[in-house]
């Protein structure tokens, strides 16, 4: 039997979630053009530009975003044996306070049932494809205890292997002390947090809305997303989250954004300013250093599309053991109709093989072994 290949960064919009987006008229929403063309997924603030005709805003959304059979076909095509599926951005961040709990339970139950059904159906064939999931949290719920309850409930669902979350937290970012009960619950249940960007940077960072629009999704996705992740995890570090919750486990999307490259600089700046003035007083800076946190609390996906980024990630993580293969499917589909292989996948395979070429054991670990160990997959 060939070696397992595990994709830990692969998204779905469940049918119920897509139906909810279809009923909305403001970001995030799905628009169905009258001419029967592919629906449009309008989720980023920069997608909803009024100078762009509605039928062309955002990106096309086809069955690959929600049909699990299409996901399984994608896995077969690329030799992926196991996927840990997660709801895609912006998760449940935008829901009204009273809707968050019911939607998180609905989405998480749907994900759990999908995994159970797929694993049962394929379990008897030689072409086994296995699914697990990361759950979504009701972050806009009126009380953090509702989030904590869902973290505890997810522990009882057999296919759940962690939670996916964006960078806004309860609305004030991830250095918000009000998140402490959430960090405590994640730590106590040893639930892995998959931290993923969505909001990017303000248009002003790129030269204004016209400039952002001019280049489509390139600036928000190539630069906004990784910097958003870097800023979010740095705010966690600065506010001492990893001191107070030293057993927290966080998987960073896109190889940590730019964290591996900037870790030395971040640590140097902290070293020169151990005390911060925050909340009107003098606050002790983080005690555990960036490298220790990278080597004990942080895991990185290998979704970085190139050897320079992957080498930085492996170095920052203290070796290849904390790196996990991913694809970001269904985003970044093939560029030409009829293409079978997704370049977003083959580029990541190539970067892993190019970087670790002589170390076959390490390649096997990044492609699957690490995920099996870290996420306790069968
Ligand atoms: N674009 C998104 O909106 N989300 C992803 O995860 C990848 C690309
Ligand atoms: Zn993603």
């Amino acid at each position: 039997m060939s070696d397992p290949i595990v994709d830990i960064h692969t998204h779905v919009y469940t049918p119920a979630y897509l139906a909810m987006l279809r009923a909305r008229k403001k970001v995030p929403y799905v628009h169905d053009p009258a001419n029967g063309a592919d629906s449009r997924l309008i989720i980023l603030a920069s997608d909803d530009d009024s100078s762009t005709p509605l039928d062309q805003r955002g990106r096309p959304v086809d069955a690959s975003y929600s049909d699990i059979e299409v996901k399984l076909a994608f896995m077969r095509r690329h030799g992926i044996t196991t996927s840990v599926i997660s709801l895609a951005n912006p998760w449940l961040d935008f829901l009204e306070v009273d809707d968050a709990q019911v939607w998180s339970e609905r989405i998480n139950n749907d994900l759990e049932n999908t995994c159970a059904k797929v694993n049962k159906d394929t379990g008897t064939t030689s072409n086994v494809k296995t699914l697990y999931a990361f759950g979504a949290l009701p972050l806009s719920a009126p009380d953090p205890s509702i989030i904590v309850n869902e973290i505890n409930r997810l522990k009882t669902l057999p296919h759940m292997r962690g939670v996916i979350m964006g960078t806004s937290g309860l609305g004030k970012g991830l250095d918000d002390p009000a998140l402490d009960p959430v960090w405590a619950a994640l730590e106590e249940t040893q639930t892995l947090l998959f931290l993923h960007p969505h909001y990017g940077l303000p248009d002003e960072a790129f030269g204004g809305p016209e400039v952002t629009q001019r280049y489509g999704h390139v600036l928000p996705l190539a630069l906004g997303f990784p910097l958003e992740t870097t800023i979010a995890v740095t705010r966690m570090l600065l506010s001492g989250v990893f001191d107070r919750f030293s057993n927290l486990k966080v998987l960073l999307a896109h190889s940590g954004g730019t964290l591996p490259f900037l870790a030395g600089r971040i640590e140097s700046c902290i070293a020169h300013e151990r005390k911060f003035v925050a909340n009107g007083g003098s606050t002790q800076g983080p005690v555990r250093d960036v490298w220790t946190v990278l080597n004990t609390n942080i895991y990185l996906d290998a979704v970085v599309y190139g050897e320079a980024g992957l080498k930085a990630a492996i170095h920052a993580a203290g070796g290849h053991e904390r790196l996990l293969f991913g694809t970001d499917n269904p985003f970044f589909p093939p560029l030409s109709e009829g293409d079978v292989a997704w370049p977003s996948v083959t580029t990541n395979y190539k970067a892993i093989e190019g970087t670790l070429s002589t170390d076959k054991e390490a390649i096997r670990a990044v492609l699957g072994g690490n995920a099996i160990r870290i996420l306790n997959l069968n």
Side-chain angles (χ1 to χ4, degrees), residues 4 6 363-374:
V6 181
I363 293 174
R364 274 197 288 275
V366 173
L367 288 179
N370 291 343
I372 291 171
R373 184 186 76 254
I374 294 161

Side-chain angles (χ1 to χ4, degrees), residues 5-6 9 33 55 78 95 97 102 133-134 145 207 209 222 229 243 281 296 300 340 360 364 376:
I5 299 184
V6 181
H9 190 153
D55 288 3
H78 295 92
L95 291 180
V97 286
V102 61
F134 293 127
S145 67
T229 307
D243 292 328
T296 53
L300 303 172
V340 185
K360 301 294 172 212
R364 274 197 288 275
N376 191 24

Side-chain angles (χ1 to χ4, degrees), residues 9 11 43-44 59 89 196 221 225 254 328 331-332:
H9 190 153
H11 302 294
I43 53 172
L44 306 181
R59 55 196 124 183
N89 49 302
H196 191 294
L221 293 186
F225 267 33
H254 315 125
D328 226 342
F331 297 105
F332 309 115

Side-chain angles (χ1 to χ4, degrees), residues 31 51 53 84 93 96 108 120 125 217 237 247 289-290 344:
H31 165 71
S51 66
V84 187
D93 288 10
E96 299 296 329
N108 292 334
K120 185 162 162 280
T125 71
H217 281 126
L237 273 160
N247 288 315
D289 65 49
V290 178
S344 49

Side-chain angles (χ1 to χ4, degrees), residues 14 17 20 87 91-93 95 98-112 134-141 146-151 153-154 157 160 163:
T14 67
Y17 185 89
M20 185 246 284
L87 192 66
W91 314 281
L92 308 175
D93 288 10
L95 291 180
D98 293 337
D99 296 336
Q101 181 180 2
V102 61
W103 270 101
S104 71
E105 289 176 6
R106 181 178 297 154
I107 298 282
N108 292 334
N109 290 345
D110 284 352
L111 290 173
E112 172 62 29
F134 293 127
L137 295 179
L139 292 171
S140 59
I146 295 172
I147 307 170
V148 168
N149 288 345
E150 187 61 4
I151 292 170
R153 192 182 78 89
L154 287 171
L157 304 185
M160 288 291 165
V163 293

Side-chain angles (χ1 to χ4, degrees), residues 60-309:
V61 52
D62 61 15
S64 67
Y65 282 77
S66 57
D67 185 341
I68 205 66
E69 291 303 325
V70 180
K71 175 83 71 193
L72 294 171
F74 164 83
M75 289 169 66
R76 262 179 236 116
R77 185 165 306 156
H78 295 92
I80 296 164
T81 49
T82 303
S83 288
V84 187
I85 56 176
S86 52
L87 192 66
N89 49 302
W91 314 281
L92 308 175
D93 288 10
F94 54 92
L95 291 180
E96 299 296 329
V97 286
D98 293 337
D99 296 336
Q101 181 180 2
V102 61
W103 270 101
S104 71
E105 289 176 6
R106 181 178 297 154
I107 298 282
N108 292 334
N109 290 345
D110 284 352
L111 290 173
E112 172 62 29
N113 292 338
T114 298
C115 295
K117 182 171 180 319
V118 165
N119 296 358
K120 185 162 162 280
D121 288 351
T122 61
T124 50
T125 71
S126 57
N127 187 17
V128 180
K129 294 280 165 280
T130 317
L131 296 186
Y132 294 91
F134 293 127
L137 295 179
L139 292 171
S140 59
D143 193 288
S145 67
I146 295 172
I147 307 170
V148 168
N149 288 345
E150 187 61 4
I151 292 170
N152 290 328
R153 192 182 78 89
L154 287 171
K155 257 343 222 193
T156 68
L157 304 185
H159 297 90
M160 288 291 165
R161 288 299 183 272
V163 293
I164 187 165
M165 184 169 150
T167 61
S168 60
L170 306 179
K172 294 185 179 163
L174 301 187
D175 55 0
D176 180 1
L179 275 166
D180 275 10
V182 175
W183 304 139
L186 293 173
E187 183 182 56
E188 172 139 352
T189 53
Q190 277 298 284
T191 298
L192 181 82
L193 167 66
F194 181 17
L195 181 60
H196 191 294
H198 168 71
Y199 298 95
L201 296 178
D203 282 337
E204 286 62 39
F206 301 124
E210 296 83 357
V211 181
T212 312
Q213 288 302 323
R214 199 183 300 159
Y215 304 112
H217 281 126
V218 174
L219 293 169
L221 293 186
L223 302 181
F225 267 33
L227 284 161
E228 176 191 353
T229 307
T230 313
I231 293 166
V233 70
T234 304
R235 285 175 64 181
M236 289 174 78
L237 273 160
L238 292 174
S239 64
V241 169
F242 294 107
D243 292 328
R244 296 198 297 288
F245 305 97
S246 57
N247 288 315
L248 200 57
K249 303 285 180 239
V250 183
L251 167 64
L252 297 180
H254 315 125
S255 293
T258 61
L259 182 66
F261 187 80
L262 293 179
R265 186 172 178 84
I266 294 167
E267 184 54 32
S268 166
C269 288
I270 293 173
H272 284 88
E273 199 155 354
R274 278 274 160 204
K275 277 189 189 295
F276 311 115
V277 177
N279 304 323
S282 176
T283 306
Q284 174 67 48
V287 176
R288 298 173 72 231
D289 65 49
V290 178
W291 302 109
T292 306
V293 170
L294 272 163
N295 291 187
T296 53
N297 303 98
I298 305 271
Y299 300 97
L300 303 172
D301 74 19
V303 184
V304 70
Y305 312 99
E307 290 187 33

